[in-house]
Amino acid sequence: MKSSTRNPNPNPDTPRFGPSKLMLAFRFLRALTLVHRTAPNSSNAARSRRIQRAAFASMAYSAGPRRAWSRALLCRLHFHRARRRCARRSRAAGVPRRPSTTRSPADGLRRLVPGGTGMDYCSLLEETADYIRCLSEQVKLMQSIVDSVGPGGR
Amino acid sequence: MEAKENNQFGLEESHGDHISSHSPGAAGFVTPLTSSPILSASMLEAFFTPGLWNHRTSSCTMSFGESNIQTSTSGINCVPIGKPVAMSNRGMLPSPPPGEFPHSLPHFPVDSGFIERAAKLSCFGGGSFRGISHLGPSQSMTPPSDASKDAIGARVQKAELNVVSLPVEHGTIKGITMNNKRDRSISHVGTSNNKSREGNFCEDGQERHTGSADAAGNSSSSDLGANKRRKATEEMEKEKDQVLRGLQSSTETTKDNTETKCKSYKHSGKNAKDNSEAAKEGYVHVRAQRGQATNSHSLAERVRREKISERMKYLQELVPGCSKVTGKAVMLDEIINYVQSLQRQVEFLSMKLAAVNPQLDFSIEGLLAKNLLHSHGGSSSAAGFSQEMIYPQVYSSQQGLAHAGISSMLNPSDAFRRTLNTEIPMTSGYKETSLQMHNSWNEQLVMQMAYGANPPLNSQVINRKPDGFTI
């Protein structure tokens, strides 16, 4: 494997905004290879789950701790890793999905953006903007990976 | 003149907590500041270091640091807070460098002390007012303050804000002249929205630096501010609102969210004295415009609404296809849909990547090279060009396809080539990887990369299916 040629130096000129594309790419690719190497026999579904988690983790790491959503995302991921299924089960069953009496327009957004429940509207919008940026970067990265592998990959 | 004021106001400052630490008089005023600037400068520097995990939350540390600054400098004005906040903010908001604010008065040796004094000066009205109120409406006190203020205000326009606040609150000062100055200063502050103005504002205030201002700033502890608030008249409120508004308009964009939140809880929007107190708690000062309600709650609401609209505008730019959408509700729905689609796309792509297993080792370096080229700001199309340049035979064999797919990139090709040529020497390591990649890859993969480079560059629409690319 030509991993030696891979240059892990983070390009200092790259970050134009919060998420550094290079760091994101590096992290995600490393996580991806790790996933494929460690569990080559697992099903595609399980692996895709892990890859998705890796994607979110690399996204959150490259965004930095200054963002509330990245912190919340990492907390959620670590929490899930610590308590694999129990947490999900308890969370799904324990919390009654009862809509609040005052349905604010930002509720849907709060559910989507990690860490959005504990924020006021202003910071929620800001976090959403950053989250969208990072998400689109991640999607672009994954897309380019899929593309570069080409049709012979599947 | 200033010394006289210092002495005069120093007499009344005996009751302030901070005042005891600061000796009345200009000399005493300087010495305590020399220590605090160091602290505040270090605090400022601490904010400016971009260490990732140094600050748990930018907002928390900002408010914390600001409160520290506040306590250390006894009511520093919003400028120092705003500067570090601006620095810590990401590129979304304008953030002039911290060294900006001392520029207008370069002869001052210590910049942070400069700012502190300006802050104290802004709180000047509170302290002096309190002192005056305690002594009763003493005409002897006010004229010199007015005279000094007038003189200084004549020199520095923005300082008039502080000047205005004092006499207004006091109520005994000739309000007419103050009104004139106030209007001027208000128009000044109201029109400007950047930090430099606020910095200028504080600097100008500092230029007037008087012991009374210092004492006022020192005495601008929470209880002091509370007292001042009680005494605010309607006219004073309006002026304060305007003062605060000007400050807020300049600090708004750089204010941190949590600070604003704290402020919104306690913001009174009445006195200039509240500047110190507000600054201590991370206030964003709002100025009421003509014809608007000057109630503190409505002011805070207005600030909040402006922030929200600003964020919504930014989100509108971010989300594709939302430029023509108006209204917050529809925008919110669009944003929610977009985020959902992005998350679904991540899930879908991860599914695809899970199936890609065997080729992965093979493509890592190529991906890395391509991603690095991607990261060179929109030169991903240039990546396609560079690859084609390196492999002219590949390019010529698939020229029809290339042109069809990359026709949009043909126009800026020279620019891209130049940028790539300039950038490649910087990242020679990456170039090596790309060369190795070319050696190991066949034509199709190269063209695939070119194609892969194309869509992310040209399209912001994420909804496009990836299958369309793997032709």
Side-chain angles (χ1 to χ4, degrees):
Chain A
M1 175 152 153
K2 305 185 180 100
S3 55
S4 58
T5 59
R6 205 189 329 173
N7 196 342
N9 295 335
N11 192 352
D13 307 337
T14 320
R16 276 147 185 78
F17 45 91
S20 159
K21 299 189 192 185
L22 187 58
M23 286 311 297
L24 183 73
F26 178 62
R27 277 186 193 280
F28 181 63
L29 287 172
R30 191 170 55 178
L32 202 55
T33 54
L34 208 63
V35 167
H36 279 288
R37 227 181 301 168
T38 53
N41 303 327
S42 62
S43 69
N44 268 12
R47 243 192 321 199
S48 72
R49 269 280 142 199
R50 292 179 63 184
I51 290 174
Q52 192 179 355
R53 269 207 305 269
F56 279 119
S58 65
M59 206 167 66
Y61 272 118
S62 60
R66 290 172 174 274
R67 285 284 138 200
W69 68 263
S70 66
R71 287 193 304 272
L73 192 55
L74 285 177
C75 281
R76 196 200 295 178
L77 287 172
H78 287 309
F79 184 64
H80 278 243
R81 190 164 44 156
R83 316 257 188 96
R84 274 291 184 82
R85 292 168 194 88
C86 306
R88 290 204 202 113
R89 259 190 258 120
S90 66
R91 250 198 358 181
V95 177
R97 299 296 177 125
R98 179 177 49 87
S100 60
T101 52
T102 60
R103 187 186 295 265
S104 89
D107 277 349
L109 203 54
R110 274 181 217 270
R111 276 195 297 265
L112 281 180
V113 177
T117 49
M119 281 191 249
D120 60 326
Y121 194 57
C122 277
S123 36
L124 180 69
L125 288 181
E126 192 171 342
E127 296 290 323
T128 306
D130 199 68
Y131 186 59
I132 285 177
R133 259 200 318 233
C134 287
L135 257 185
S136 53
E137 280 306 314
Q138 181 73 39
V139 166
K140 276 188 225 169
L141 171 66
M142 296 175 77
Q143 186 68 69
S144 61
I145 292 178
V146 168
D147 291 343
S148 59
V149 169
R154 307 205 66 165
Chain B
M1 172 171 57
E2 289 178 351
K4 181 168 67 161
E5 279 184 337
N6 290 343
N7 296 330
Q8 283 172 342
F9 284 103
L11 293 174
E12 299 142 66
E13 294 302 337
S14 54
H15 42 257
D17 295 337
H18 297 267
I19 290 134
S20 58
S21 64
H22 293 73
S23 59
F29 176 79
V30 173
T31 43
L33 284 182
T34 52
S35 58
S36 45
I38 300 169
L39 175 64
S40 61
S42 62
M43 298 290 277
L44 291 176
E45 284 173 14
F47 293 134
F48 300 144
T49 52
L52 267 187
W53 291 98
N54 288 344
H55 315 286
R56 285 296 301 162
T57 63
S58 58
S59 56
C60 286
T61 49
M62 293 315 296
S63 53
F64 170 71
E66 289 173 16
S67 59
N68 281 350
I69 286 183
Q70 291 316 309
T71 53
S72 67
T73 60
S74 62
I76 200 167
N77 205 351
C78 42
V79 169
I81 298 172
K83 295 287 184 190
V85 172
M87 288 304 295
S88 65
N89 256 342
R90 51 184 213 288
M92 171 175 174
L93 306 169
S95 57
E100 209 180 55
F101 38 75
H103 286 181
S104 68
L105 299 168
H107 58 278
F108 281 93
V110 182
D111 293 336
S112 42
F114 185 72
I115 296 156
E116 292 158 14
R117 269 183 272 167
K120 291 194 174 95
L121 201 57
S122 65
C123 316
F124 172 71
S128 63
F129 175 61
R130 176 171 162 173
I132 293 172
S133 60
H134 276 268
L135 288 184
S138 62
Q139 291 301 322
S140 62
M141 296 305 301
T142 58
S145 64
D146 287 348
S148 65
K149 285 176 215 148
D150 294 351
I152 297 171
R155 278 206 308 260
V156 182
Q157 287 176 342
K158 299 183 192 74
E160 292 166 359
L161 286 172
N162 286 331
V163 182
V164 172
S165 63
L166 275 180
V168 174
E169 282 187 313
H170 195 272
T172 60
I173 300 172
K174 25 197 183 247
I176 301 172
T177 56
M178 286 304 138
N179 285 336
N180 295 339
K181 285 186 199 157
R182 193 187 336 137
D183 295 341
R184 251 187 302 150
S185 56
I186 284 171
S187 61
H188 251 288
V189 180
T191 48
S192 73
N193 277 341
N194 47 14
K195 275 199 88 57
S196 57
R197 288 205 65 100
E198 188 180 4
N200 289 339
F201 165 67
C202 289
E203 292 165 358
D204 298 335
Q206 170 163 0
E207 203 183 30
R208 302 169 26 195
H209 72 278
T210 61
S212 58
D214 176 19
N218 296 338
S219 62
S220 61
S221 48
S222 53
D223 54 342
L224 192 66
N227 293 339
K228 303 273 186 296
R229 223 175 289 132
R230 309 269 154 54
K231 298 168 184 128
T233 63
E234 200 50 47
E235 183 185 10
M236 279 193 310
E237 266 193 55
K238 181 139 209 254
E239 295 185 6
K240 284 310 176 309
D241 293 341
Q242 292 172 338
V243 172
L244 294 175
R245 177 66 159 192
L247 287 172
Q248 181 269 337
S249 57
S250 48
T251 51
E252 183 182 86
T253 56
T254 57
K255 217 46 175 161
D256 213 335
N257 286 341
T258 56
E259 294 157 7
T260 316
K261 212 194 318 192
C262 306
K263 169 202 84 74
S264 61
Y265 293 141
K266 306 165 195 166
H267 180 63
S268 67
K270 291 177 189 177
N271 299 347
K273 289 71 155 179
D274 293 340
N275 288 353
S276 62
E277 197 178 327
K280 223 187 297 184
E281 290 154 335
Y283 276 81
V284 171
H285 303 294
V286 188
R287 162 173 277 176
Q289 284 155 13
R290 184 189 165 92
Q292 288 181 332
T294 59
N295 189 17
S296 63
H297 295 294
S298 59
L299 271 174
E301 267 303 307
R302 199 176 313 127
V303 169
R304 192 171 159 273
R305 263 182 271 132
E306 283 181 8
K307 284 176 86 90
I308 288 177
S309 63
E310 173 193 335
R311 305 253 156 84
M312 290 291 290
K313 263 185 284 186
Y314 183 69
L315 274 171
Q316 222 170 11
E317 299 167 22
L318 214 51
V319 177
C322 266
S323 50
K324 55 182 87 74
V325 172
T326 52
K328 287 207 286 191
V330 189
M331 262 301 297
L332 264 181
D333 288 342
E334 282 294 318
I335 291 169
I336 289 174
N337 287 339
Y338 187 61
V339 172
Q340 271 172 347
S341 75
L342 281 178
Q343 285 174 340
R344 267 186 268 122
Q345 228 167 349
V346 168
E347 192 175 339
F348 175 77
L349 284 172
S350 70
M351 251 170 32
K352 276 197 111 177
L353 281 174
V356 167
N357 183 19
Q359 311 267 342
L360 211 53
D361 301 343
F362 184 66
S363 61
I364 288 292
E365 49 188 34
L367 287 169
L368 210 61
K370 183 172 58 151
N371 288 321
L372 296 171
L373 291 171
H374 271 294
S375 67
H376 291 329
S379 62
S380 55
S381 58
F385 270 119
S386 69
Q387 295 164 14
E388 292 152 20
M389 308 267 286
I390 295 172
Y391 274 85
Q393 66 276 10
V394 175
Y395 185 66
S396 58
S397 66
Q398 313 231 5
Q399 202 156 10
L401 272 174
H403 280 299
I406 318 175
S407 56
S408 60
M409 299 191 295
L410 285 179
N411 295 334
S413 62
D414 291 334
F416 282 133
R417 215 174 299 146
R418 262 182 269 118
T419 54
L420 199 62
N421 287 336
T422 54
E423 281 177 319
I424 277 188
M426 284 170 12
T427 61
S428 54
Y430 302 146
K431 186 180 182 184
E432 289 168 4
T433 61
S434 68
L435 284 176
Q436 288 177 0
M437 166 191 68
H438 289 300
N439 292 334
S440 59
W441 283 29
N442 55 9
E443 304 173 351
Q444 277 191 349
L445 279 174
V446 170
M447 290 317 299
Q448 279 295 330
M449 283 187 56
Y451 271 112
N454 191 8
L457 171 71
N458 292 340
S459 75
Q460 289 293 328
V461 178
I462 304 296
N463 293 331
R464 209 193 300 187
K465 282 302 177 190
D467 291 334
F469 302 142
T470 61
I471 300 170

